[in-house]
Amino acid sequence: MHLAGGMIGFLAALIALHLIHTIANGDEHSFIYHWLKEQSPLYAFAIIASFSLTGVLAIGQYVNKKELRYELRKNKELDEASQAKTEAISFASHELRTPLTAVKWGIKSLLEEDFGQISPEQKKVLEDVYQTNENMQTLLADFLDSSKIDIGKLEISLKNISLTEMERAIKQLAAKKQPLAKKKKIELKYDAAVNYPSHALVDLNRISQVVDNLLENAINYTPAGGAIKVSLSSNKNDFKFSITDSGIGIPAKEQAKVFVKFFRATNARKLRSGGTGLGLYLCKRLIDGHQGGVWVESAGAGRGSRFCFTLPIRARQETEELFRKI
Ligand code: ADP
């Protein structure tokens, strides 16, 4: 269709050129020359101008459509390549999980002395290997989640959870991080002021993943001797989680980007080379999937950070399991 448009445009442009040429050369033998001469100059000009315009517009549109088709084909190819890459990451992450789980249980048995007593030196080495293995498992899980999000296949399973249950789960997570905080000489405090009869529609495993990530970040980005405080609160609309640390903070100019996939602030890169910049991206996607809000407040580099998220509170009678793709 657009080929026909292009041809019409080409023809109109040819006619316009022919008219201009006939008038410019005063071609007495040409029928068109005599016909145009009989018309008023304004009318002759209008005819030539409309042929020229039609020609230019139709040819322009033809070129545009051709470019558009080329762009669409290129985008499709890129989409297919990106889909293949995502599937490859997904497959590799999935396949690597099984051996890592086997390593985990092997080391755990050794640490629990199922195969005989171990020396303090051996224990130290095994604990380090165990932690490295845990980090790799988290990393793989993050890659897997992120590649599922890329293809719209990450599903959360929402259930009506009481705030008491949510509080208990978060308190346990904070308690589990105490040894790590202690090791870094960081004081980790916990404070809850929740309106207990309320409920929220949540995927508790996913909310725990978010909390774990925020706790882990607070510990990683707070130097020894610092302090972290976890607070929970609720009002009639929302449940609110916040974690405040006295750590390295986030440079003001970079704060808007911390939830962007793979983003790492300049001061964080200097402090820790190991991060991926995937954790906060996943936190945002998961909290968005719960129709909640997540944000960061920091007075700037070196001045600590506060990460908060809210989840909407629901009426008890809405109890139903709900699957949602995010
Ligand atoms: P990672 O920690 O693996 O780099 P995240 O996605 O969890 O990735 O965090 C993204 C970036 O946000 C971090 O690299 C860091 O720059 C910044 N950030 C996150 N949490 C904190 C925090 N508590 N204090 C300072 N910076 C933080």
Side-chain angles (χ1 to χ4, degrees):
M1 191 61 201
H2 71 278
L3 186 68
M7 281 167 74
I8 292 171
F10 186 63
L11 238 124
L14 268 182
I15 295 173
L17 277 175
H18 180 68
L19 291 176
I20 294 166
H21 181 261
T22 313
I23 291 181
N25 291 324
D27 188 353
E28 303 268 343
H29 306 293
S30 162
F31 152 77
I32 292 172
Y33 176 77
H34 289 290
W35 182 76
L36 273 177
K37 266 192 92 178
E38 281 164 22
Q39 314 304 319
S40 77
L42 198 67
Y43 186 57
F45 174 75
I47 290 172
I48 295 172
S50 47
F51 271 114
S52 315
L53 201 69
T54 314
V56 169
L57 285 180
I59 290 173
Q61 211 180 358
Y62 171 69
V63 171
N64 266 348
K65 277 199 176 162
K66 242 189 132 170
E67 271 172 10
L68 192 71
R69 269 173 52 146
Y70 175 76
E71 289 291 322
L72 284 175
R73 206 181 55 235
K74 267 264 155 291
N75 281 349
K76 196 167 165 250
E77 280 168 16
L78 281 176
D79 277 353
E80 281 166 6
S82 159
Q83 173 98 358
K85 196 179 79 190
T86 303
E87 276 164 14
I89 291 175
S90 195
F91 176 75
S93 311
H94 200 264
E95 289 303 298
L96 283 169
R97 275 168 88 177
T98 317
L100 284 179
T101 309
V103 171
K104 176 185 169 127
W105 292 114
I107 297 170
K108 212 170 160 69
S109 308
L110 288 170
L111 273 170
E112 285 168 2
E113 304 192 326
D114 290 351
F115 305 109
Q117 227 181 346
I118 52 169
S119 69
E121 290 80 19
Q122 288 168 330
K123 189 170 183 239
K124 168 91 188 55
V125 172
L126 285 172
E127 274 170 356
D128 286 350
V129 176
Y130 186 84
Q131 193 49 51
T132 309
N133 188 65
E134 288 283 279
N135 294 346
M136 277 176 75
Q137 281 192 316
T138 311
L139 189 80
L140 280 179
D142 284 356
F143 270 116
L144 199 58
D145 283 348
S146 136
S147 55
K148 278 189 187 159
I149 289 176
D150 287 348
I151 51 174
K153 280 194 178 159
L154 189 75
E155 193 170 65
I156 54 173
S157 130
L158 302 161
K159 287 187 194 130
N160 215 26
I161 302 281
S162 74
L163 295 197
T164 323
E165 201 178 331
M166 191 136 71
E167 209 244 284
R168 200 183 309 126
I170 293 174
K171 199 173 181 178
Q172 268 173 17
L173 284 170
K176 263 178 95 175
K177 294 286 175 205
Q178 278 295 1
L180 187 61
K182 251 202 192 112
K183 206 169 154 190
K184 274 193 81 179
K185 297 190 171 51
I186 293 170
E187 185 191 17
L188 173 55
K189 283 202 289 190
Y190 174 85
D191 173 43
V194 177
N195 178 12
Y196 292 106
S198 312
H199 290 76
L201 202 56
V202 296
D203 182 329
L204 198 51
N205 285 334
R206 291 302 187 174
I207 293 301
S208 300
Q209 178 183 343
V210 171
V211 171
D212 194 69
N213 203 287
L214 296 177
L215 277 163
E216 190 86 7
N217 277 352
I219 296 173
N220 282 335
Y221 297 114
T222 300
I228 299 171
K229 187 177 171 191
V230 173
S231 306
L232 309 186
S233 61
S234 72
N235 58 29
K236 71 179 194 332
N237 299 320
D238 298 301
F239 165 84
K240 182 177 175 191
F241 170 96
S242 74
I243 179 163
T244 312
D245 66 58
S246 63
I248 62 165
I250 302 163
K253 274 196 269 173
E254 300 180 51
Q255 283 172 25
K257 290 186 256 172
V258 291
F259 295 100
V260 172
K261 195 174 179 179
F262 300 131
F263 179 80
R264 303 198 68 221
T266 35
N267 57 347
R269 284 172 192 273
K270 277 186 209 146
L271 184 77
R272 266 184 84 227
S273 57
T276 58
L278 268 179
L280 286 184
Y281 162 74
L282 290 173
C283 288
K284 169 130 181 61
R285 295 301 294 251
L286 289 169
I287 297 296
D288 284 351
H290 283 77
Q291 293 167 344
V294 56
W295 68 95
V296 60
E297 297 160 10
S298 170
R303 304 175 71 181
S305 317
R306 174 181 293 144
F307 283 85
C308 307
F309 71 79
T310 54
L311 296 169
I313 281 174
R314 307 275 162 160
R316 183 78 183 93
Q317 51 272 32
E318 283 178 53
T319 317
E320 252 173 53
E321 191 162 358
L322 184 78
F323 293 97
R324 188 181 288 155
K325 291 241 166 64
I326 63 168

